[in-house]
Amino acid sequence: MLDSKQLRADTENVARNLARRGFVLDLAAFRSFEERRKQVQIEADRLRSERNANAKAVGMAKGKGEDASALLKRGEELTQQLSSAETALDAVQAESDAWLMGLPNLLHDSVPEGRDESANVEVRRHGIPRSFEFTPVDHVDVGAKLGGLDFEAAGRISGSRFAVLRGGIARLHRALAQFMLDLHTGDHGYQEIYAPYIVSGDALTGTGQLPKFEQDLFALKGERALYLIPTAEVPVTNLVREQIMTPEQLPMRYVAHTPCFRSEAGAAGKDTRGMIRQHQFDKVELVHMVKPTESYAALEQLTAHAEEVLKRLELPYRVLALCAGDIGFGSSKTYDLEVWLPGQGKYREISSCSNCEAFQARRMQARWRNPETGKPEPLHTLNGSGVAVGRAMVAVLENYQNADGSVTVPAALRPYMGGIEALRPS
RNA sequence: GGAGAGAUGGCCGAGUGGUCGAAGGCGCACCCCUGCUAAGGGUGUAAGGGCCAAAAGCCCUUCGAGGGUUCGAAUCCCUCUCUCUCCGCCA
């Protein structure tokens, strides 16, 4: 959510900033219901003030044993007028809130211009893609040779876009998650979090998935609006919702390994083969809550922590700064990490690291007490994958494949694989 | 799943229809006094929003959430959520 004061005071600049995303801010609509809101709110406040004074007068009159019938009559009138004023205010407020909730975050100045992913800017590259003495295949074929990567069984159980892992591949998947958690808790100073996989609509509104992106979520049947998490970002970031943190409590750095559930309603026909795009996948997520002045340093740091996973796995990757048109709804600035996939012959997204500044904090009412002002102010939140476990496994299978169908286990993972050096066809 | 109790400010805790945004305590901040293995006194101390260019100031909202009764609700009624205790069941 944007700062409504800023929106009112600095409307032109906000509009200009959002236009970089290709988002058209309807200034006329905003000004019109802003005008109406002001009018109705002032009137409602005035009526309430008068009603309160009147009710007090009734109390005093009765206390003194005086006749209060005129005051009572006035009170009835006021209550009636107030009731209609409040109905009007609620309507305007609801309209204004819905509009405000639909506005994306402001972009940081350093975000490159551009309409779509083709304009993303490569910031750096690490590692050199291995040259194969044979033609490398994609992870589906690697898995088929190896055995243990079963999309057919998953189809019978759940439908398309699910996978069943067996044996060594299942263990490799688990090893990756364990390795990442240990790296971030041990070397990077994160606190590990185990959080609910089912969350309320409020939590999702806080991080920005609702109300706009409900079609991407799996909703649970039942009386209450509950959803499966699309990312651990939701429960973990919401840890600070409706809290006021002291300066000493910041920064907070959390890591969580969770499954993620996405209906991917808009992605039909994309990446239908293999494990790249699934309804259910595991991810190790990094979340920071920081002082506003520190959030851009934190973004660099968080991104470096995610990169370290790929470095230790010795997987070639590149870092992109997303352009204005490709950046997510709630983010001010995002780096994507793309890992090299020999089977596809290209780099594919494996992590996305974002500084949401105060966008989520405002929605969640997550604040910190700024010692300079003495007042609670929205803190800044960041999140990034560190990294997607399923896609990391895809990358390992493809980059470490051998001519005989075996897959070498990356050195960093061997302690988690009982020391074995390779997965071999069974 | 059954039975009961509860939800008040950073924390504890009073408050059953009217000057209650809320006694008292703790904590915290500042000041004063005193002076040595500590204590005493005073003052202040919620959040959100509106009017205003802004500050000051004024106003509104908030006692788990939502609705209702009333001139007036922390207080009465209804619904929901959460917490605790006991029983049952289970991992």
Side-chain angles (χ1 to χ4, degrees), chain A residues 10-25 27 106-107 113 324:
Chain A
D10 200 16
T11 318
E12 304 293 339
N13 280 325
V14 170
R16 205 167 304 132
N17 186 303
L18 295 182
R20 296 181 61 201
R21 290 178 178 268
F23 185 92
V24 180
L25 189 71
L27 288 176
L106 295 175
L107 296 172
E113 297 297 331

Side-chain angles (χ1 to χ4, degrees), chain A residues 22 45 92 129 132 155 161 182 184 197 221 281 291 316 321 325 354 374 395 411:
Chain A
D45 278 3
V92 181
F132 288 84
R161 293 196 189 277
D182 284 351
H184 297 309
Y197 304 156
K221 284 217 157 133
F281 61 96
K291 296 174 192 168
S354 298

